[in-house]
Amino acid sequence: MEARGNDVAQRRHSVRRSLDGTIVDDFRPDVEGLRAIAVIIVVLFHAKVSGFVGGFVGVDVFFVLSGFLITRLLLKELAATGSISLPSFWARRARRLLPASTLVVVATVLVGFSVLAPLQQRPLALDVLATATFVVNFRFAGQLGDYFGAQLGALNPSPLLHFWSLAVEEQFYLVWPALMLLLTRRPRRYRRLLGLVIGCLGIASIAGSVWLTDHRPTAAFYLLPARMYELIAGALLAIAGSAVTRVPAAARAAAGWIGFAAIALATLRFDESIAFPGIAALLPVVGTVLVVVAGGAGAHALAPSMVLDRRPLQWIGRHSYAIYLWHWPALVLGQAAWGPLSGWSRALLIAESVGLASLSVRLVEDPVRRSPWLGNRARRGLWLGGALVATLLVTAAVASSAVPTLDGGQRAAAPTLVPVTIGAPTAIGSSTGATGATGPLDLAGLVAANRLVLEQGLHSDIVPSNLNPSLAHAADDKAQLYPDGCVAIGVDAAVKDCEYGVAGSAQTIVLYGDSHAAHWFPALEAIATARGARLVVFTKGGCPTAAVSIPTNTLARTCPQWRDSVVQRIADLRPDMIVMSASARYPNSDEEWQQGMQATVARLTPYTRHLIILGDNPGAASDPATCLSQHLTSASSCSNRRAKAVESGRIAAEQAVAQANGGRFIDTSEWLCTPQACPVVLGDILMYRDANHLSTTGARWLEPLLAAALFPS
């Protein structure tokens, strides 16, 4: 036992000697000022201030600074004792992070349940649960779509979305001190060993980040492995310690300004078209490292610290954590309460969040962090952390159980459509095509019959209890193509042969397009089966059929490749009919869209006798399920105005392309809208699964109209 004690003492002595004279623990006002810069650019980005398109890199600056500051604290403890008390470290982290974050989460839930639509309240409860268990970044990474599109750019983003970065840091805090402690078992050259390990981890993380950004971009954005090198960069700075002061002060100052410029460049130039984090994140990360190197002991008078040391930035830096916590819920809940926010409204909400941050620092953060009673024993801080986690778990449970009913309490009859039939069914390409044994359908008669149903929908105000799909499951009411893996997502550029209808048929129909083509699949599959035809599907979410510019980095890389492969596959198939459709809401001008559509159609027309451009469906005013959950007895208020719903410019562009190339254009606006408005509920049918996609049930309702349009009498 005595020998073991001597061995431990010797090991600790070796660790202390390895770190002797290299550890710097002075307060760095320039780092505090840099924290202020980081939170300012994040807030301005979230507030949609013009020019700050890359303000999300403020989080990367935070990561570097967190790695730097945390590692300095751990090295200080190692230099003093030769070891690290993990319970004490985690207790300090709990006292520093959890009181303020718990307060913000609870306040967000309380306000959220008063201003959010009932349908949004259940996801919020799940977000609270994930936040409480430090895995909310996994929750957001697991949702379809990336940070910029499906979450940040969503109509109703989570008010706890920004907690993803805190989860990354908390996960880092769990593993990093444990690894530093483990390495003390090789104490002789501890500092060198630690630097070597950091270097290897950093290289591995950069490589992983590049790979994930290319193959799993959403996971790359949210998860620790792809972000580890940013925190590691700060840790390496801490290990360098006083060694950086050997560099001439003037050179350090120049490097600092270069670093400052790098952060500014990323802030002003990066946007969703950048593959991020990957290699791109190195710009703000290296920039932050250079700014930190420029400061500290012996800094030049003209170093960036001359700006960063200013009192306003020092105040913001000291409150940066609280400002970060409060600002995003304020913006999201403000929009939920008042609708789209003006610039002045956003400014007011930001000012309010800064005020709340000041109060929470004074009344919550500082008293808990500086409490001698809590600081004297690690287990008290750990018990506090456990109690705060339990508070969030209870909050999540209460929030989940408090979600109100999502229907008006009355059943509705299914709508009825009386089709007009003439003649007998014939093959594809005939002037008297058909959907089935009852004979070909008269489109004009169907549109007239459907108009009556639309008018009834505009005057029905009760959200029925038998709504199909229900409000709670509307978002999941997707075509069978999705579970079958036949809708390429994100980086997936592979073309899959997904065949439906009648296998081996001599007649082939191809469905080609994006997710808006995919939502027509239930109707087209039934039509193909009824006609004895084979249906081959080529769809990729977010990938326009037109050869146009695409703003998001992943799709800009994969869509052209996927589109070329589809054209080649269609050339092999030589189908009897191609039905192509795409969203009308891509951010391209109608002129650009027409040119891009012309380029695509010109490539396809040699390979089919019948090319159909199926016009995009009119969109809803907002997410219908969310709106209806707020208007259970006034459903008609969720209808969209026809003038807003119908993209007339895009319709004209596609009509022109179809006419110029001997194809046909099908306008679907009359199927979903009256001359005045477009209802979202027809009898017991919810027509949309979100603001612009048809539900599977809605597509099936429109099957007779689609059949009559594809195969006119």
Side-chain angles (χ1 to χ4, degrees):
M1 182 68 72
E2 183 178 349
R4 182 179 178 183
N6 289 337
D7 182 61
V8 170
Q10 181 60 39
R11 189 166 66 238
R12 292 186 175 185
H13 175 72
S14 297
V15 171
R16 293 198 304 271
R17 186 171 59 186
S18 175
L19 298 173
D20 186 43
T22 64
I23 305 306
V24 180
D25 187 41
D26 57 317
F27 173 69
R28 293 283 300 271
D30 59 314
V31 171
E32 194 85 303
L34 195 52
R35 285 160 58 93
I37 296 296
V39 77
I40 287 171
I41 61 179
V42 169
V43 169
L44 293 178
F45 168 65
H46 285 160
K48 301 179 181 179
V49 175
S50 178
F52 288 84
V53 291
F56 55 88
V57 302
V59 172
D60 304 272
V61 176
F62 272 126
F63 282 157
V64 176
L65 297 181
S66 293
F68 173 67
L69 295 171
I70 290 301
T71 304
R72 284 213 314 173
L73 289 174
L74 293 169
L75 289 173
K76 177 184 177 183
E77 184 176 355
L78 284 166
T81 67
S83 185
I84 295 172
S85 171
L86 294 179
S88 295
F89 173 81
W90 289 327
R92 290 194 299 271
R93 290 295 87 201
R95 288 162 46 206
R96 173 70 179 94
L97 299 176
L98 295 185
S101 63
T102 301
L103 174 63
V104 170
V105 171
V106 172
T108 299
V109 171
L110 291 174
V111 177
F113 268 63
S114 65
V115 301
L116 292 175
L119 193 64
Q120 297 172 272
Q121 295 172 12
R122 190 179 303 276
L124 177 58
L126 294 176
D127 292 345
V128 173
L129 177 62
T131 299
T133 51
F134 313 129
V135 294
V136 74
N137 57 329
F138 283 91
R139 171 165 165 77
F140 294 130
Q143 295 176 356
L144 182 64
D146 61 13
Y147 174 73
F148 300 100
Q151 285 136 22
L152 183 68
L155 292 174
N156 304 299
S158 169
L160 299 180
L161 175 62
H162 63 321
F163 271 79
W164 75 267
S165 63
L166 301 182
V168 168
E169 289 197 21
E170 288 158 346
Q171 291 156 17
F172 178 75
Y173 297 153
L174 287 175
V175 299
W176 181 235
L179 177 60
M180 290 182 67
L181 179 60
L182 180 64
L183 293 178
T184 61
R185 294 184 176 275
R186 296 290 184 269
R188 290 196 173 185
R189 294 185 177 273
Y190 177 78
R191 183 165 172 259
R192 181 175 297 179
L193 175 62
L194 186 57
L196 178 63
V197 169
I198 285 179
C200 292
L201 282 175
I203 292 171
S205 178
I206 291 173
S209 182
V210 171
W211 187 90
L212 282 171
T213 301
D214 189 49
H215 294 82
R216 299 288 186 273
T218 307
F221 195 96
Y222 285 109
L223 301 185
L224 176 61
R227 298 290 192 159
M228 175 77 84
Y229 77 88
E230 303 181 23
L231 292 141
I232 287 294
L236 192 60
L237 264 180
I239 292 170
S242 59
V244 299
T245 60
R246 299 172 191 168
V247 179
R252 288 163 54 201
W257 285 114
I258 292 173
F260 213 94
I263 296 172
L265 180 64
T267 300
L268 300 176
R269 301 298 296 175
F270 280 10
D271 57 23
E272 62 184 30
S273 68
I274 296 292
F276 200 87
I279 289 293
L282 284 172
L283 184 63
V285 167
V286 173
T288 304
V289 168
L290 292 177
V291 174
V292 174
V293 165
H300 196 279
L302 297 179
S305 55
M306 65 182 290
V307 175
L308 298 174
D309 291 357
R310 300 298 180 183
R311 184 173 297 178
L313 288 181
Q314 292 298 297
W315 188 93
I316 294 172
R318 192 166 71 85
H319 294 79
S320 58
Y321 175 59
I323 293 172
Y324 182 80
L325 288 177
W326 285 106
H327 85 281
W328 179 249
L331 290 170
V332 172
L333 297 178
Q335 179 170 290
W338 304 317
L341 300 174
S342 66
W344 285 109
S345 297
R346 289 193 291 270
L348 180 63
L349 289 168
I350 294 303
E352 177 185 286
S353 64
V354 171
L356 289 171
S358 178
L359 288 174
S360 66
V361 167
R362 183 183 307 173
L363 302 178
V364 177
E365 285 187 59
D366 284 351
V368 173
R369 184 158 53 99
R370 296 171 180 173
S371 168
W373 185 82
L374 288 172
N376 285 340
R377 295 183 182 273
R379 66 171 180 265
R380 293 173 182 169
L382 294 175
W383 276 108
L384 172 67
L388 293 174
V389 168
T391 299
L392 291 183
L393 292 174
V394 171
T395 301
V398 172
S400 182
S401 64
V403 174
T405 182
L406 295 177
D407 65 73
Q410 298 180 17
R411 294 179 63 85
T416 57
L417 188 67
V418 181
V420 178
T421 62
I422 54 176
T426 55
I428 292 175
S430 165
S431 61
T432 55
T435 65
T438 59
L441 303 175
D442 174 62
L443 181 58
L446 286 170
V447 170
N450 188 61
R451 173 69 59 81
L452 298 177
V453 178
L454 294 173
E455 293 286 358
Q456 292 171 359
L458 290 174
H459 295 90
S460 298
D461 276 329
I462 301 297
V463 176
S465 57
N466 59 330
L467 189 65
N468 186 16
S470 67
L471 299 185
H473 298 98
D476 300 320
D477 191 43
K478 298 177 181 178
Q480 185 62 35
L481 292 176
Y482 286 89
D484 287 351
C486 293
V487 181
I489 301 296
V491 298
D492 186 2
V495 173
K496 303 171 185 176
D497 275 356
C498 292
E499 297 192 11
Y500 300 87
V502 179
S505 173
Q507 299 177 359
T508 300
I509 302 173
V510 163
L511 175 62
Y512 162 52
D514 60 7
S515 60
H516 283 233
H519 69 208
W520 287 107
F521 168 77
L524 193 56
E525 181 193 27
I527 294 168
T529 301
R531 297 186 63 84
R534 176 175 63 149
L535 175 63
V536 182
V537 179
F538 303 116
T539 53
K540 178 171 174 59
C543 191
T545 50
V548 294
S549 60
I550 304 170
T552 57
N553 177 271
T554 297
L555 292 175
R557 290 186 293 111
T558 58
C559 278
Q561 178 185 346
W562 178 83
R563 191 186 299 121
D564 289 344
S565 298
V566 169
V567 172
Q568 183 56 56
R569 186 71 185 100
I570 288 175
D572 296 336
L573 287 171
R574 304 258 171 184
D576 299 274
M577 175 180 285
I578 298 173
V579 180
M580 57 186 295
S581 188
S583 170
R585 294 161 186 83
Y586 290 103
N588 309 96
S589 68
D590 292 332
E591 181 180 3
E592 182 186 0
W593 185 264
Q594 183 170 338
Q595 294 172 352
M597 183 64 77
Q598 172 61 38
T600 300
V601 168
R603 298 177 68 187
L604 294 175
T605 48
Y607 307 126
T608 184
R609 289 183 295 145
H610 302 282
L611 188 139
I612 310 296
I613 300 178
L614 183 59
D616 191 27
N617 58 280
S622 61
D623 179 61
T626 300
C627 180
L628 291 169
S629 73
Q630 293 176 295
H631 299 89
L632 298 177
T633 58
S634 55
S636 60
S637 61
C638 295
S639 301
N640 198 7
R641 292 183 297 106
R642 180 190 176 100
K644 180 181 178 182
V646 176
E647 301 286 345
S648 56
R650 195 57 52 91
I651 289 173
E654 293 186 347
Q655 281 178 327
V657 171
Q659 183 176 5
N661 291 272
R664 284 197 293 125
F665 176 80
I666 297 175
D667 185 355
T668 63
S669 57
E670 298 297 324
W671 305 359
L672 290 149
C673 300
T674 71
Q676 290 75 38
C678 314
V680 296
V681 174
L682 302 182
D684 63 348
I685 299 175
L686 176 59
M687 293 299 295
Y688 299 85
R689 65 175 170 88
D690 58 29
N692 52 71
H693 290 93
L694 296 175
S695 67
T696 295
T697 315
R700 288 184 178 131
W701 166 257
L702 296 173
E703 176 194 332
L705 289 90
L706 179 61
L710 291 176
F711 309 109
S713 57

